[in-house]
Amino acid sequence: MTIVIALKVGDGLVLGADSASTLIRNDGQYHNSYFNAEKLFNLVKGLPIGAVTYGLGGLANRSVGSLAKDLRKRLSDSSEKKWYVDPASYKLQEVAERVRQFFYEELYVKQFNPGSPSPALGFMVAGYSAASDSAEVWKVSVQADGTCPAPVCAIPATELWDATWEGQGEAIQRLLLGFSSPLVERLTAAGMPRADAFKLVQSLEPVVHPTMPIQDAIDLVHLLVDTTCGYVRFAPGPATVAQPIDSAAITRHEGFRWIRRKHYYSQELNLPIR
């Protein structure tokens, strides 16, 4: 499992992800957990576009994070007419469609059989279209039967603020929305009409406002992911969500900027030779 989140406010959006990667044997039993998976990446260097991944951690014997760098090379190469993202005219939906084509059409279907039970794999593609001053988020999701529909807009540019997450999101829902996911069912079982139950939970005051500064949105994403890590740590079962946290902010003028990023090498030992 995992936790990844995209939080949008007026000035931009923040992406966050944990680092746990869980291995499941062919018989469906838990095998092991690793804690250095890369789930967040800049899709096109120099452009305000990022992505997070969830579900299946690798394809073709390589991690999704490593494969994403192959895709980034295509998206940045003007000689690759089919893949190139033109900085002057691109739309984020088109970038999400390229993510689907690369990971699903080129890689996933060669390893799994669409139409039969298959592992989940998904992406949130987030940022700004070339001509837009408001951020948006698109989701690419492989279904349980191995099919992958066209990308779906999870947060449109017209929304003043919003958040979307995937993985073990119970802690985030409680903190961000103020109620647990089974609450509506429990209220309905207790005799409350379902429409009234929905009205009740939707009346809670959200903790996010469109005018929230980007730094505060960053702090909130860190809190949400960190709390999820602690929540899962004390829940029964294996550690399927864990630190360190990777995060990035995407704004119209500053573009994609890393906030937290783990490295498997020492930067001091890898400075350019002068």
Side-chain angles (χ1 to χ4, degrees):
M1 293 293 289
T2 189
I3 189 64
V4 294
I5 183 172
L7 173 64
K8 175 185 175 178
V9 293
D11 285 344
L13 59 83
V14 181
L15 299 176
D18 79 309
S19 295
S21 177
T22 306
L23 294 182
I24 304 298
R25 299 196 302 257
N26 292 334
D27 61 4
Q29 298 300 308
Y30 171 79
H31 177 68
N32 200 356
S33 293
Y34 299 114
F35 302 108
N36 289 282
E38 295 183 14
K39 304 177 185 179
L40 194 164
F41 31 87
N42 182 199
L43 275 177
V44 184
K45 286 189 175 181
L47 293 182
I49 307 173
V52 289
T53 184
Y54 49 94
L56 189 66
L59 291 164
N61 291 319
R62 292 177 60 192
S63 69
V64 171
S66 175
L67 292 166
K69 295 175 183 177
D70 292 346
L71 175 60
R72 182 171 64 197
K73 186 175 181 181
R74 293 191 194 182
L75 299 178
S76 305
D77 187 351
S78 59
S79 67
E80 291 266 12
K81 301 302 182 183
K82 181 180 177 181
W83 295 92
Y84 180 58
V85 174
D86 187 341
S89 60
Y90 74 90
K91 294 182 179 180
L92 200 67
Q93 180 180 358
E94 298 170 346
V95 179
E97 289 168 350
R98 287 170 172 79
V99 169
R100 179 189 180 277
Q101 183 177 355
F102 179 77
F103 282 102
Y104 181 70
E105 295 183 5
E106 285 197 14
L107 297 170
Y108 190 96
V109 296
K110 293 181 180 179
Q111 190 168 336
F112 302 99
N113 297 317
S116 61
S118 304
L121 172 64
F123 298 87
M124 294 183 198
V125 181
Y128 290 80
S129 296
S132 178
D133 60 0
S134 183
E136 55 192 294
V137 179
W138 289 78
K139 286 187 179 180
V140 177
S141 302
V142 178
Q143 308 300 310
D145 64 353
T147 60
C148 184
V152 174
C153 186
I155 302 179
T158 53
E159 287 290 338
L160 298 179
W161 82 270
D162 205 347
T164 184
W165 55 87
E166 293 289 344
Q168 294 178 254
E170 178 69 16
I172 288 181
Q173 178 157 337
R174 292 188 185 190
L175 285 171
L176 203 57
L177 303 183
F179 64 93
S180 176
S181 52
L183 180 59
V184 171
E185 284 68 25
R186 292 181 179 179
L187 291 172
T188 303
M192 179 179 287
R194 194 169 187 83
D196 292 342
F198 272 112
K199 185 177 180 180
L200 174 65
V201 298
Q202 291 171 355
S203 67
L204 298 172
E205 187 72 22
V207 299
V208 182
H209 192 275
T211 61
M212 176 181 283
I214 281 292
Q215 182 59 62
D216 291 286
I218 291 168
D219 294 343
L220 179 56
V221 165
H222 289 166
L223 170 67
L224 294 172
V225 178
D226 184 59
T227 301
T228 301
C229 292
Y231 182 87
V232 172
R233 175 191 170 193
F234 292 104
T240 54
V241 178
Q243 296 179 342
I245 297 170
D246 285 336
S247 60
I250 306 175
T251 61
R252 183 63 188 166
H253 298 290
E254 286 75 32
F256 182 102
R257 289 290 183 268
W258 286 102
I259 306 301
R260 293 185 183 178
R261 188 184 188 188
K262 57 183 171 290
H263 290 281
Y264 58 85
Y265 57 86
S266 168
Q267 291 179 293
E268 291 75 14
L269 296 177
N270 289 274
L271 295 174
I273 300 175
R274 303 191 180 195

